[in-house]
Amino acid sequence: MNNLSNELRATYQSGVTQPIEWRITQLNALHQLVEENKQALFDAVKEDLGRCAYETNIGELMNIKTQIKCILSNLRHWMAPRSVSTPLLHGKGLSTSHIIPQPLGVVLIITPWNYPISLPLDGIAYVIASGNCAVVKPSEISERCSALLNELIPKYLDNNCVKVVLGGVPETTELLKQRWDHILYTGNGVVGKVILRAAAEFLTPTTLELGGKSPVVVDRNVSMGVALKRIAWGKFLNCGQTCIAPDYVLVHKDVKDEFINGLKDTITSFYKDPKTSEDYGRIVSERHAKRLATLLDADRDKIIYGGDVDLKDKYISPTLLYFEGDAINNSQLMHEEIFGPILPIISVDSLEDSVTFINQRPKPLALYLFSKDDAMTQLFISRTSSGGLCVNDTLCHFSVPDLPFGGVGDSGFGGYHGQTGFDRFSHLRAILNKTTIIDPSLRYPPYDYGNVKILGYLAP
Amino acid sequence: MSSKYQPLVDNLRKTYERKTTIPLAWRKTQLEVLMKMMKEREDEFHTALQIDLGKGFFESWLTETSLINGNIQYFYDNLEKWMKPQEVPCTPMLLPAKSYVIREPLGVILVIAPWNYPFQLAIVPLAAALAAGNTVVIKPSEIATATSKALAKIIPEYFDKSVVNIVEGGVAETTELLKCKFDHIFFTGSPRVGQIIYEAAAKHLTPVTLELGGKSPVVVDETADLDVTAKRLAWTKFMNCGQTCVAPDYVLCPASVQDKLASKLEKAIEGLYGKNPRDSPDFARVINEGMGNRLFRMVKDDTEKGKAETVTGGKWESQTRYFAPTVLKNVTTDSAVMQEEIFGPVLPILPILDNIEDAVNFISERPKPLSAIIFSKDKKNQEILRSKTSSGSFLINDAVVHVSNHHLPFGGVGNSGIGRFHGPYSFDIFCNLKSVHDNPTFLDPSLRYPPYTKTEQTIIKYASKLKAPHIPQSLVPLVIGVVVGAVIVGSVTHPGGLAGFASQLVSKFI
């Protein structure tokens, strides 16, 4: 593994990843990998995360296929030279100016355990679409899925250009000692800083997809039925272990009771008995479940629904807590990203208060507003900041391929998906092809100061 | 890790948090104030540039003031358009939701400016950051002392400390500043310091734009028009006394071209600056004695050791900081001038080009440069060099001038930098591109929610196989109308009616 990046760089320099035909072949192969191994992928996710096949299908496999489709239908266009105008001074009409996207070289992709199939493959799709070689280091925590990818990727993709490295901290540390042309990291902020420091050594650009606490705001003017379903769905999908999962709810006091009662009913309608429901997942490991159980124990008196824990089964039931007034500030639940099926609900007096609450805290990866009031919605969008935002829904902006997906501030930087994703792993090279037919002398010394006005008209 | 500048940064962040910087009107006002400042104080800035770099008025105007004014105007003219939501097509499965991207401010920006274009590389990022709705700290270069003083004096006369702040100083002050959290750091300077900035930014997960440098190679082949080549090469090399990040650093040419090129360069230099460039008002000075001594030592070492021969120039006068425009030929790859970015008025020629592949190999073996240049009439050679090398920018038959085209992104790759600047790129780096998904509530298919029934699983299985295209939001009603119309017509005209038409569709699309 010592010289993996050099090995792949040599392959990249041979030019094999440049032609569009190679990229299309790889993307089609990636699509096939997903299509032909669905059951194996479902089983691996079930084993690692206890997540049902239906959710793996809509939450992971369909997303990868959507991204690949988007790339395939746009790749030729994205790869083409982008013509821009040339100023008069530099021979507009005779000279030409273009932006040509070129691959960077070798990209390192480090992915987490919560979407252990789509995050590695999503990253690979965009990295190879931009003509790079890739090394993917999937999470050691989602063991079965990573082992399966390690088996399938060499079977479908070009072995010389895409490699999988299995392992944990020691292996990642070794990888980070090497020079990469870009690093795509999805995970938490603590490790994000480590990645960034390692990248700084080689001036390697990075994309950090981190996390944070993604708030949901429920206005008093709201389509309650739809809001309840979409919030419950977004929260409890993958047992709350989604980077953009609704973390906590700020509900207007006028609809608080309707919301809470409605949410209890909605959860019951989804899972009846979550412990035995096929549709309800598990926490990834006993250690993670213990962390969540500890959070619950500290605020047992605030639990209004659920709260059942079975550590051996890595089971935490869908749980709601209610906080009145300032009580929320003392809760540990507000000091870390929950990343589990625990939903604190906080009552607010107005939408204004929710904006203040949100702005006092680090910028989240996602923000969700449920409201029927267009004017309030626009105000809310302009007065808060987040990586992404959904109005009257949760999570879905991730599956719109033309929306760049990423964070801001503590939730990360650099987005990818769609053309943003293609450009992210490319170098946008500026090309000026200058005519030699004309060469106005007023450009050169000795400078005639009277020419300043003329140049002012010709220059941009 | 508290910093003495924390209160200053906190004050700037308060302005951002109050959301006063968001409206278009506020941002336009800031740009208008900048335009006013430029108009009223231009002379003082030109004087400072004369003191720091010995730059004459024309070159200062051409390479600093006019670029600043042009950029501010460009931001001003396009700001309203850039601030509008940018609609994107929504995934067919998620229709009729609306998807768009909006650009919102990041917060507090730190601009660390270099000494070579000390005015432009402070004010243009300032203008872009303000246009994007941020507040700003500028740390001008302590090496360009007169410009730093001018900025520190003039900017507070136009901008309140709660919007723009200047922090003067060197390494100690920069280190102190970097203890604070910024929302973006824009740094122009050397790769070595770029690494330090990047590491400091990592502690706060702060994104950075690093405009660095490197050795920008020039390839001159047998087909080049040597008269035009010599003139353009000489001007772009020796402007600002060679202290330009995208300046031609060295030349690769065939042995057969070297002498002709060298002699034309000598003539071109005389054409630009006269027989004695020291007396030309158009030829600048080296920034300080230390930099001049460095250049002089390199040239002396190389010529004494037979690693280079002087064609013209070589003179260094430390008192006036005059370094003559210098051309060296028969330069070897192990010469001192080839080991680091020259950043001065010394142009080495290496006559080692047998064919274009030699140039490709030579350039590819070295860190990716900020700019790569070819003087050639051979389209094949141009294309080979362009496609087989990587650099921030690539120029054919010219150098440097692409920086004045707003539509071309400016920046490096690999060791020469991270991020893009100029035109709309300037705006984007100082924004958060927020993705917005707006889903109406009138349509809410139950197959999305648990419990996931067997029927729903079958539907999803087939739906995922649909080869549906991407449809822009504005066309959705039209598309729905066309689809419904097609289904009606298809059902009416198909012999099997609706059922027959539907099964034919299924077999076609799944």
Side-chain angles (χ1 to χ4, degrees), chain B residues 280-452:
Chain B
S280 162
D282 304 327
F283 186 67
R285 296 292 179 264
V286 175
I287 185 72
N288 61 29
E289 224 179 292
M291 295 295 260
N293 287 339
R294 177 187 72 96
L295 290 164
F296 184 69
R297 240 186 344 258
M298 283 199 294
V299 174
K300 190 165 180 285
D301 259 347
D302 287 339
T303 46
E304 280 174 1
K305 291 185 178 146
K307 295 184 180 178
E309 287 167 42
T310 311
V311 173
T312 182
K315 200 161 189 160
W316 161 236
E317 289 170 11
S318 55
Q319 257 165 335
T320 56
R321 294 182 283 129
Y322 167 75
F323 201 109
T326 303
V327 177
L328 305 171
K329 70 174 187 180
N330 289 325
V331 178
T332 61
T333 50
D334 64 344
S335 58
V337 291
M338 285 307 290
Q339 303 319 307
E340 53 185 274
E341 187 176 355
I342 293 169
F343 223 67
V346 176
L347 183 66
I349 307 175
L350 289 81
I352 56 174
L353 217 65
D354 282 335
N355 57 52
I356 198 69
E357 288 297 336
D358 290 342
V360 168
N361 295 335
F362 192 93
I363 294 167
S364 303
E365 281 163 13
R366 290 160 172 75
K368 294 176 186 177
L370 197 44
S371 199
I373 298 132
I374 182 167
F375 284 93
S376 164
K377 288 211 194 110
D378 184 332
K379 284 200 166 23
K380 203 156 167 247
N381 277 358
Q382 292 169 4
E383 186 49 28
I384 290 173
L385 197 73
R386 184 205 66 72
S387 63
K388 290 188 170 181
T389 63
S390 183
S391 58
S393 54
F394 183 79
L395 287 93
I396 302 172
N397 292 322
D398 213 335
V400 173
V401 293
H402 64 299
V403 309
S404 58
N405 186 350
H406 297 300
H407 306 286
L408 280 177
F410 179 80
V413 62
N415 256 50
S416 52
I418 297 175
R420 286 285 165 278
F421 198 57
H422 288 174
Y425 302 91
S426 316
F427 187 76
D428 279 1
I429 54 168
F430 296 127
C431 286
N432 170 38
L433 272 62
K434 182 157 82 180
S435 294
V436 182
H437 177 79
D438 186 338
N439 198 4
T441 54
F442 66 83
L443 199 63
D444 201 34
S446 70
L447 58 77
R448 169 174 163 172
Y449 304 104
Y452 305 126

Side-chain angles (χ1 to χ4, degrees), chain A residues 54 204 363 385 393 404 427, chain B residues 104 106 391 420 435 447-448:
Chain A
Y54 194 95
T204 298
K363 293 174 186 176
S385 182
D393 211 336
H427 162 59
Chain B
E104 54 181 31
L106 285 172
S391 58
R420 286 285 165 278
S435 294
L447 58 77
R448 169 174 163 172

Side-chain angles (χ1 to χ4, degrees), chain A residues 281-353:
Chain A
R282 291 295 181 267
I283 307 303
V284 70
S285 74
E286 223 179 289
R287 180 171 67 88
H288 286 78
K290 205 160 182 212
R291 178 186 67 88
L292 290 164
T294 310
L295 282 174
L296 273 182
D297 283 339
D299 281 306
R300 280 254 147 222
D301 56 328
K302 306 284 187 302
I303 296 177
I304 53 172
Y305 181 93
D308 304 317
V309 175
D310 182 349
L311 286 179
K312 283 231 142 40
D313 190 19
K314 299 179 281 169
Y315 171 79
I316 310 262
S317 70
T319 302
L320 306 177
L321 298 96
Y322 177 68
F323 290 84
E324 191 91 61
D326 283 335
I328 190 63
N329 295 325
N330 300 325
S331 169
Q332 184 56 23
L333 282 168
M334 282 314 285
H335 296 296
E336 54 185 270
E337 186 175 353
I338 294 170
F339 224 69
I342 298 170
L343 186 66
I345 301 168
I346 302 149
S347 170
V348 288
D349 290 339
S350 65
L351 207 61
E352 249 330 302
D353 284 355

Side-chain angles (χ1 to χ4, degrees), chain A residues 9-323:
Chain A
R9 193 162 290 107
T11 308
Y12 163 74
Q13 271 160 358
S14 73
V16 68
T17 62
Q18 303 254 28
I20 193 174
E21 292 76 23
W22 180 87
R23 306 183 200 194
I24 290 175
T25 309
Q26 295 305 296
L27 289 163
N28 284 329
L30 201 58
H31 194 274
Q32 248 185 307
L33 183 160
V34 172
E35 270 303 312
E36 292 174 2
N37 296 280
K38 278 206 176 114
Q39 198 51 52
L41 292 165
F42 290 150
D43 292 342
V45 174
K46 184 84 192 174
E47 204 178 309
D48 281 335
L49 283 157
R51 194 205 300 142
C52 63
Y54 194 95
E55 279 189 4
T56 299
N57 203 6
I58 56 171
E60 296 219 61
L61 305 196
M62 279 173 67
N63 178 57
I64 307 166
K65 290 192 283 187
T66 305
Q67 301 294 340
I68 294 175
K69 269 185 231 167
C70 172
I71 297 172
L72 285 171
S73 53
N74 289 288
L75 189 57
R76 196 167 292 276
H77 170 66
W78 292 343
M79 280 174 70
R82 302 169 196 181
S83 174
V84 298
S85 88
T86 310
L88 269 176
L89 179 62
H90 301 308
K92 192 187 196 61
L94 293 168
S95 308
T96 61
S97 303
H98 289 90
I99 302 164
I100 297 189
Q102 285 183 275
L104 290 169
V106 191
V107 181
L108 174 63
I109 304 168
I110 301 173
T111 56
W113 51 260
N114 62 335
Y115 286 86
I117 305 298
S118 63
L119 288 174
L121 298 185
D122 204 2
I124 290 175
Y126 280 98
V127 167
I128 59 181
S130 324
N132 301 287
C133 287
V135 169
V136 63
K137 210 297 292 174
S139 173
E140 69 282 17
I141 297 175
S142 47
E143 240 183 286
R144 191 68 207 94
C145 290
S146 297
L148 183 59
L149 288 181
N150 189 35
E151 184 197 315
L152 293 176
I153 286 175
K155 266 200 203 144
Y156 285 83
L157 300 181
D158 186 335
N159 262 349
N160 294 323
C161 304
V162 182
K163 298 234 190 264
V164 181
V165 171
L166 294 184
V169 171
E171 287 77 12
T172 309
T173 309
E174 274 312 302
L175 283 172
L176 289 173
K177 287 182 183 159
Q178 302 178 37
R179 169 187 279 271
W180 305 96
D181 299 292
H182 195 106
I183 299 177
L184 167 62
Y185 169 74
T186 309
N188 66 62
V190 171
V191 177
K193 290 181 188 178
V194 172
I195 304 282
L196 207 44
R197 270 201 289 271
E201 194 59 40
F202 296 105
L203 290 168
T204 298
T206 53
T207 300
L208 299 184
E209 302 276 340
L210 308 176
K213 298 180 74 60
S214 298
V216 179
V217 175
V218 179
D219 190 17
R220 61 203 254 239
N221 184 2
V222 65
S223 295
M224 190 55 85
V226 167
L228 291 168
K229 284 199 284 185
R230 290 176 183 176
I231 293 171
W233 174 78
K235 178 67 184 185
F236 301 112
L237 189 88
N238 205 33
C239 217
Q241 297 160 117
T242 307
C243 53
I244 44 172
D247 191 277
Y248 63 93
V249 176
L250 299 169
V251 60
H252 194 289
K253 63 179 193 241
D254 290 353
V255 294
K256 170 199 91 189
D257 292 327
E258 192 191 341
F259 177 75
I260 290 175
N261 293 330
L263 198 55
K264 291 177 184 174
D265 290 339
T266 306
I267 297 170
T268 309
S269 78
F270 280 6
Y271 306 116
K272 266 224 186 63
D273 173 23
K275 197 131 205 294
T276 54
S277 163
E278 273 180 11
D279 302 330
Y280 189 69
R282 291 295 181 267
I283 307 303
V284 70
S285 74
E286 223 179 289
R287 180 171 67 88
H288 286 78
K290 205 160 182 212
R291 178 186 67 88
L292 290 164
T294 310
L295 282 174
L296 273 182
D297 283 339
D299 281 306
R300 280 254 147 222
D301 56 328
K302 306 284 187 302
I303 296 177
I304 53 172
Y305 181 93
D308 304 317
V309 175
D310 182 349
L311 286 179
K312 283 231 142 40
D313 190 19
K314 299 179 281 169
Y315 171 79
I316 310 262
S317 70
T319 302
L320 306 177
L321 298 96
Y322 177 68
F323 290 84

